[in-house]
Amino acid sequence: MSTTTITSTVATLAVSNIHKSFGGHHVLKGISMTARKGDVISILGASGSGKSTFLRCINMLETPDQGSVCLDGETLEMRQRKDGRLEPVHRKQVERMRSQLAMVFQSFNLWSHMTVLQNLIEGPMRVQKRAHAECVEEAEALLQRVGLFERRDYYPAHLSGGQQQRVAIARALAMRPQVMLFDEPTSALDPELVGEVLKVMRSLAEEGRTMLVVTHEMGFARNVSNRVVFMHQGLVDVEGAPADVFGAHSSERFRQFISGHQERATA
Ligand code: ADP
Ligand code: MG
């Protein structure tokens, strides 16, 4: 997936030295990551290593204790509170930047009282103040794309998990995000439904979208992403091209992680 275009050298997302504690538990201990346009970065790590917290700090669902987030040249402004922790300065900036960092969750998180189509147009209309007709037109095109146009008037409860997750991906796309954040998008799915979601994600990668993907799908990490980051206890343990990270000279810890994973996968 490597490209030689000039845009590939521009950092779309630069996250630097993120720290986060909950009570006395230091979960993120200084994580930095840079994504250039079109990068697909798989974030791997054991349960509890801080992967979700890291994604949540990037789009400000959690406020980091330290560190900075810069999207397309714009740095999120934060100030220090009396207790030394950070808080965002402008609520509006958080909302705007968050809408450019669309997140797809493990548990879909669709609005259950809204139809599929309403789920897609809500954010663009409310947050981005775009016109209804334009939002509907774009939403319908996105539903075609994820193969769910015929289900546009269904409620989420009447869809399978795989269909709900494809709606969630379309909803994220409807915000025209610069970067997409995926937090274990296939982990809640029955095995037979994983493929349809991975197929959509692969197509997004192929069209050059910038994506950060927390996943346990090693096939996706190896074959679709162009960079792999392995987190261990709140730090980046190893990072690089999939061939290197999965290769013989990777970290001992990563090899242990992978072998445990394969045992579980075949168990
Ligand atoms: P991962 O996604 O890698 O499994 P998480 O980021 O969810 O890891 O969690 C990392 C650690 O932070 C865990 O020990 C978890 O219990 C803790 N943690 C996460 N969110 C909170 C929270 N809101 N309050 C307290 N502890 C939390
Ligand atoms: Mg998690």
Side-chain angles (χ1 to χ4, degrees):
M1 276 226 30
S2 69
T3 68
T4 52
T5 57
I6 289 171
T7 51
S8 72
T9 63
V10 176
T12 294
L13 178 67
V15 185
S16 176
N17 194 33
I18 299 286
H19 285 257
K20 181 72 184 176
S21 295
F22 295 107
H25 184 187
H26 199 176
V27 173
L28 300 179
K29 300 171 183 162
I31 300 229
S32 301
M33 196 174 290
T34 302
R36 283 171 283 271
K37 198 169 182 320
D39 272 347
V40 178
I41 302 178
S42 287
I43 302 172
L44 311 180
S47 175
S49 57
K51 307 178 298 294
S52 295
T53 304
F54 179 58
L55 287 193
R56 293 168 63 83
C57 282
I58 293 176
N59 79 349
M60 293 287 142
L61 290 175
E62 299 282 358
T63 308
D65 301 334
Q66 271 187 61
S68 66
V69 175
C70 181
L71 179 65
D72 199 26
E74 178 181 2
T75 301
L76 188 99
E77 285 186 60
M78 291 196 271
R79 65 181 162 218
Q80 219 156 18
R81 304 188 311 201
K82 285 207 186 81
D83 63 4
R85 296 193 164 208
L86 296 179
E87 66 180 9
V89 178
H90 309 290
R91 201 66 231 159
K92 286 262 174 247
Q93 190 191 27
V94 172
E95 278 176 20
R96 183 161 39 77
M97 286 178 75
R98 186 181 287 153
S99 80
Q100 291 301 297
L101 291 160
M103 184 123 156
V104 176
F105 300 88
Q106 178 174 337
S107 49
F108 327 134
N109 292 16
L110 295 173
W111 294 299
S112 59
H113 61 292
M114 292 184 188
T115 65
V116 165
L117 188 71
Q118 287 166 342
N119 264 277
L120 262 69
I121 66 176
E122 176 72 8
M125 284 182 59
R126 292 256 168 138
V127 180
Q128 298 176 333
K129 313 284 183 219
R130 283 157 54 194
H132 180 262
E134 176 198 305
C135 293
V136 169
E137 191 179 332
E138 196 164 314
E140 289 185 343
L142 289 169
L143 289 172
Q144 291 276 14
R145 156 135 210 219
V146 300
L148 290 169
F149 178 73
E150 288 71 25
R151 304 289 157 108
R152 64 193 180 284
D153 295 323
Y154 281 51
Y155 284 89
H158 297 137
L159 301 177
S160 73
Q163 290 171 333
Q164 288 188 54
Q165 195 58 304
R166 285 186 283 145
V167 171
I169 293 171
R171 180 178 64 172
L173 288 166
M175 298 298 277
R176 299 178 176 169
Q178 305 237 18
V179 177
M180 298 183 77
L181 308 175
F182 292 84
D183 192 0
E184 298 199 34
T186 59
S187 292
L189 298 175
D190 292 335
E192 71 272 19
L193 302 178
V194 168
E196 66 191 63
V197 172
L198 288 178
K199 192 171 152 214
V200 170
M201 291 173 62
R202 181 187 274 268
S203 77
L204 297 175
E206 282 166 358
E207 74 179 29
R209 300 231 171 224
T210 313
M211 301 158 64
L212 266 53
V213 185
V214 171
T215 186
H216 292 285
E217 292 292 333
M218 295 304 149
F220 183 92
R222 269 177 194 270
N223 305 320
V224 181
S225 51
N226 66 329
R227 204 131 56 83
V228 173
V229 172
F230 173 58
M231 279 175 60
H232 179 73
Q233 294 181 355
L235 285 167
V236 172
D237 183 63
V238 57
E239 147 166 43
D244 296 331
V245 174
F246 283 93
H249 301 293
S250 189
S251 86
E252 180 60 29
R253 238 187 233 123
F254 183 68
R255 284 208 296 274
Q256 276 172 12
F257 170 76
I258 287 297
S259 67
H261 226 274
Q262 278 158 353
E263 278 160 32
R264 268 206 310 283
T266 53

